[in-house]
Every structure is written in C-alpha cells, then in structure tokens.
C-alpha cells in the first residue's frame, strides 16, 4: 500500500482516452550511474486523477500519492496547478516573464485594448 503524503512535480503530457479525469504526467527523477559516478535525468510517466483541479496539457502540476489505490494504474492525485502553460512566473520576483525579459503588465493591457479596438472597427 502506498504511503500518503509524498509529493512529486511533473508536466501533463496527455489525457486518458476512456476517462476525462485521468492524466498522464511526466516526472523527472535523478538516477545514479555507479560506473560513471554521476547522476542523470530519468523520465517517469505517472497516471494521475484530477477531481476539482482542472488542468491542460503542458501545465506543471503538483501530485500527491494516493493513500489507497482504486485502480491499479492510477497512483496519484493532482493537488494543484503550479505553473499553467504560457504563464511563466519568476519565482523570486513573482513577475511574469517571456524568456529572459520581464513582461510589463501595464503595457500589455494597453496593447490588448488597442487590439480589441482594431478588431471592433
């Protein structure tokens, strides 16, 4: 039986075909190569169930291991969406960014209003 309380972060890869509330999440885990004595990334795909949290493909999510398994393949619950796709936030300053530059929200709103007025004309 799985222990409750273990958290993992990963990226949503796809939705389940038969069930819309199941998601395939890819997590990275560091594995030690004993011959080279160096750590390498290893991908691990986990099937998770979402209840009240709604996420899309590409989102970075926080998973929690289920206390009891209801289905043999689905082993985790989605607790929250940490970073939605396209909403990259600098963790130190809390400001949105595009690449290595910060996005100025006031200029962004003015551009959105300008585009909306051009479309209405």
């Amino acid at each position: 039986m799985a222990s409750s309380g273990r958290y993992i972060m990963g990226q949503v890869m796809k939705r389940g075909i038969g069930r819309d509330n199941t998601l395939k999440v890819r997590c990275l885990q560091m594995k030690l190569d004993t011959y080279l004595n160096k750590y390498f990334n290893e991908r691990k795909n986990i099937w998770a169930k979402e209840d009240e949290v709604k996420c899309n493909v590409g989102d970075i999510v926080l998973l929690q291991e289920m206390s009891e398994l209801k289905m043999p393949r689905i082993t985790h619950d989605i607790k929250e969406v940490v970073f939605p796709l396209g909403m990259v936030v600098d963790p130190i300053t809390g400001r949105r960014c595009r690449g290595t530059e910060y996005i100025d929200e006031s200029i962004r709103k003015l551009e959105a209003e300008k585009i909306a007025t051009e479309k209405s004309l």
Side-chain angles (χ1 to χ4, degrees):
M1 183 169 264
S3 64
S4 177
R6 185 172 170 210
Y7 290 99
I8 301 173
M9 284 186 68
Q11 184 176 16
V12 177
M13 299 309 291
K14 71 176 187 175
R15 287 198 168 275
I17 295 173
R19 299 175 180 259
D20 288 339
N21 65 342
T22 58
L23 299 165
K24 183 178 184 180
V25 180
R26 178 172 289 161
C27 303
L28 289 179
Q29 186 177 12
M30 300 296 286
K31 288 288 184 179
L32 177 66
D33 185 349
T34 55
Y35 182 73
L36 296 173
N37 200 22
K38 184 177 179 180
Y39 284 93
F40 292 97
N41 284 334
E42 182 178 280
R43 294 179 183 166
K44 185 175 181 182
N45 293 326
I46 296 173
W47 284 94
K49 180 181 68 132
E50 65 176 350
D51 292 328
E52 63 272 350
V53 179
K54 297 298 178 195
C55 51
N56 299 317
V57 175
D59 292 347
I60 305 295
V61 295
L62 183 67
L63 305 170
Q64 183 179 19
E65 198 170 6
M66 290 180 165
S67 58
E68 59 182 48
L69 300 178
K70 295 181 175 122
M71 294 180 208
R73 249 185 145 172
I74 301 171
T75 57
H76 289 75
D77 281 324
I78 294 182
K79 285 297 166 191
E80 68 175 289
V81 177
V82 180
F83 294 112
L85 182 65
M87 296 285 290
V88 180
V89 178
D90 181 24
I92 297 171
T93 62
R95 295 173 58 191
R96 291 185 57 199
C97 56
R98 183 180 300 122
T100 58
E101 299 176 5
Y102 291 113
I103 298 172
D104 189 8
E105 292 295 327
S106 60
I107 294 174
R108 185 175 169 270
K109 287 179 185 177
L110 289 173
E111 289 176 353
E113 290 173 5
K114 182 180 175 183
I115 291 170
T117 56
E118 288 176 359
K119 284 185 179 180
S120 64
L121 296 176

